Amino acid sequence: MTKPNPVIKTIVWLWDGLQIGRIANALAGDRNDQRAVLAFRYFSWKKLFNVLRIEVQLRLGRRKIWGKPFEWEIDTTNICQLKCPLCHTGLGTIHRDQGTMHFDTYTKTIDQIKDYCVWLSLYSWGEPFLNRRIHEFVAYAHQKKIATIISTNLNKPLTEEMAEDIIKSGLDVMIVSLDGVTQEVYEQYRVGGILQRVLDNVNLLVKKKRELGYSTPHMEWQFIVMRQNEHEMVEAKQLAADMGVDSVIFKNVDFPHGMDDKEEAQRWLPKEHPEFLREQTFSKPYREDGLRCWRLWRSAVVNWDGGLAPCCYLTDKSEDFGDVNANSIEEIWNGEDYTTARGLFQERYAPQKHVGCMSCSVYTGSKAARKRGPVDLEPAAAPLPLVIKPADGPTSNGTSKRNDDQTSDSLPDPEKIQEHVGD
């Protein structure tokens, strides 16, 4: 009888005994198995040891942490050509300049997280393909042995060259946001989107993968189940199979941070599929065992301008916990904003400054918040007006453009954005 490999035995023991599968599920929802595959694809003992020590400190609720966040989001651009009505970008409610990340800012960040990052999501509030160098961003992370994931509305017309570039970059997962199989249904949420264009792009990517002999990226059709599209779920699943898409994920509606309009929610919530309804409509799925927000221990978000926040719900520049252009990630990770936010989940902790987490339902619904009561602290200065970064010279808030990766001084119509950024 063949003796089991001790390394494999150790990994299996850690995965089961220390509930790493539950961690993946908490981070990725229905994508638990997919994220587990990615974790093993780029496995290192250093990454595993970091995950374990973070998990211990999360359960202890420590404010200052030994270790680094292991799930990252980097938004390489916050520009989007669609106007989705439950998205802060579509609603125009984000107080942050629009632009595309400087490649040096990106590489500086990647070099600091490469030994600890288990999954890297290269998207947040913008459309990744409107960054014409997105394949270079992916390739750099891939070279550093980091799993990469992109979520896209795929409404930018792709050429064969662009399709080949993204496939050859080493991208692991491409999530295609596609909430319907007819234009009439699809455009009710993906306002300004063209269904046939998305389907053509998917077909091109699947075809190119086969021609090039690549198994990646894993092509995932993501279908947000809503009132107007729930009758098309079965047809979507069949169409995905016919097109050669690798998987289909049906998911709940997420409402914008701070929204509590029940009437508006009813416009979108499904009627025939209660399994896609949350017990609390506007709650955020980030509470660890009902005690604290795991985002503050496990993950971080870097916006296109270098602003770092604990999660994507803190959208405004004034809510950033730091800036990777000015400070190291280690300094920000255990800086005053992070330690204050983690302390909010300790019943006896008295915060000394306002942080954006104080308005989040994960905190306000916690036992610590109920015991503490209202916190009488002033937020940061009012957010700056939204502007588009010009090609040259300062913006209205006095900051300067750093390179030609950023956008022009006015935002064109959706079709023109696609043509301008893609050239």
Side-chain angles (χ1 to χ4, degrees):
M1 184 175 179
T2 306
K3 190 175 181 180
N5 186 308
V7 173
I8 298 299
K9 282 181 66 178
T10 304
I11 292 172
V12 171
W13 178 83
L14 288 168
W15 188 268
D16 293 334
L18 297 177
Q19 300 183 310
I20 296 174
R22 185 172 61 83
I23 298 167
N25 189 54
L27 288 163
D30 292 335
R31 301 180 176 100
N32 181 17
D33 291 343
Q34 180 195 96
R35 296 301 193 265
V37 168
L38 294 184
F40 284 119
R41 183 178 296 166
Y42 298 91
F43 175 83
S44 77
W45 290 107
K46 193 169 188 177
K47 288 182 182 181
L48 179 58
F49 180 54
N50 180 67
V51 168
L52 298 179
R53 64 188 177 186
I54 289 295
E55 289 304 306
V56 169
Q57 291 169 99
L58 166 59
R59 284 154 181 74
L60 294 174
R62 285 179 56 89
R63 289 174 53 227
K64 287 199 172 182
I65 297 179
W66 178 50
K68 301 287 194 312
F70 56 86
E71 183 187 39
W72 284 82
E73 293 177 24
I74 298 182
D75 202 12
T76 71
T77 182
N78 65 344
I79 300 170
C80 187
Q81 72 276 57
L82 303 190
K83 299 290 183 184
C84 303
L86 296 180
C87 169
H88 282 296
T89 304
L91 292 169
T93 53
I94 296 177
H95 296 89
R96 185 185 301 275
D97 294 348
Q98 288 189 314
T100 301
M101 181 174 277
H102 192 295
F103 196 67
D104 289 348
T105 299
Y106 176 74
T107 57
K108 177 182 175 182
T109 303
I110 292 295
D111 289 346
Q112 291 179 77
I113 70 175
K114 61 184 173 62
D115 293 331
Y116 308 96
C117 180
V118 178
W119 305 293
L120 171 61
S121 299
L122 285 168
Y123 63 93
S124 187
W125 292 109
E127 165 50 47
F129 279 106
L130 294 186
N131 172 3
R132 57 190 156 199
R133 296 180 64 186
I134 188 61
H135 59 286
E136 296 177 44
F137 283 70
V138 173
Y140 190 81
H142 182 70
Q143 290 164 14
K144 301 296 181 179
K145 301 189 185 305
I146 297 175
T148 50
I149 305 157
I150 277 180
S151 181
T152 171
N153 60 52
L154 218 52
N155 261 269
K156 176 177 176 174
L158 298 184
T159 64
E160 294 208 359
E161 181 183 1
M162 291 161 65
E164 287 188 12
D165 283 344
I166 197 67
I167 291 167
K168 290 179 178 178
S169 70
L171 179 65
D172 292 287
V173 178
M174 182 184 294
I175 301 167
V176 181
S177 299
L178 187 49
D179 318 301
V181 297
T182 59
Q183 178 66 26
E184 180 185 8
V185 168
Y186 170 76
E187 68 185 358
Q188 288 184 52
Y189 185 71
R190 303 290 168 183
V191 178
I194 302 172
L195 175 64
Q196 191 56 53
R197 177 180 293 162
V198 182
L199 298 177
D200 289 346
N201 284 337
V202 171
N203 282 324
L204 174 61
L205 288 160
V206 170
K207 182 188 83 167
K208 282 295 173 186
K209 272 178 61 179
R210 288 172 180 162
E211 287 178 0
L212 295 169
Y214 277 68
S215 60
T216 57
H218 176 95
M219 298 287 294
E220 175 191 300
W221 180 329
Q222 176 182 274
F223 189 110
I224 302 175
V225 180
M226 294 175 275
R227 183 162 302 194
Q228 80 279 5
N229 67 11
E230 57 184 325
H231 65 284
E232 292 190 344
M233 291 171 65
V234 173
E235 194 175 347
K237 201 167 185 178
Q238 183 58 55
L239 180 57
D242 293 343
M243 295 173 69
V245 173
D246 297 303
S247 64
V248 182
I249 292 287
F250 296 103
K251 71 182 291 285
N252 301 55
V253 181
D254 268 332
F255 291 96
H257 179 55
M259 181 179 178
D260 60 1
D261 186 340
K262 293 182 179 177
E263 216 172 281
E264 176 66 10
Q266 289 307 310
R267 175 186 168 196
W268 301 103
L269 292 171
K271 291 178 67 176
E272 306 300 325
H273 292 272
E275 67 272 25
F276 292 101
L277 299 175
R278 289 198 177 99
E279 189 175 335
Q280 296 180 336
T281 302
F282 303 111
S283 67
K284 304 293 183 288
Y286 294 157
R287 191 171 298 133
E288 179 72 16
D289 299 332
L291 295 176
R292 53 187 68 89
C293 175
W294 55 255
R295 284 280 187 183
L296 294 166
W297 282 262
R298 291 174 177 155
S299 69
V301 175
V302 181
N303 291 286
W304 78 268
D305 56 3
L308 190 149
C311 81
C312 61
Y313 287 113
L314 297 187
T315 57
D316 291 358
K317 182 69 178 172
S318 63
E319 297 175 323
D320 289 345
F321 280 21
D323 189 321
V324 298
N325 294 305
N327 299 98
S328 71
I329 287 169
E330 188 169 357
E331 290 170 329
I332 300 170
W333 184 235
N334 279 315
E336 187 179 8
D337 289 82
Y338 257 112
T339 54
T340 297
R342 294 179 192 124
L344 292 175
F345 295 91
Q346 296 176 355
E347 294 176 21
R348 296 182 181 181
Y349 176 73
Q352 299 300 307
K353 70 171 294 185
H354 184 278
V355 290
C357 303
M358 290 174 176
S359 64
C360 179
S361 62
V362 177
Y363 166 64
T364 58
S366 68
K367 184 179 177 183
R370 291 194 298 271
K371 279 208 164 190
R372 182 177 291 115
V375 179
D376 187 19
L377 292 169
E378 291 295 321
L384 298 169
L386 180 81
V387 297
I388 308 301
K389 283 287 187 181
D392 292 293
T395 64
S396 62
N397 65 3
T399 57
S400 297
K401 182 186 179 302
R402 289 174 298 180
N403 80 341
D404 63 358
D405 283 345
Q406 295 170 352
T407 59
S408 61
D409 57 356
S410 63
L411 191 62
D413 293 334
E415 292 299 311
K416 292 181 181 177
I417 296 175
Q418 295 164 352
E419 294 169 3
H420 172 71
V421 182
D423 58 1

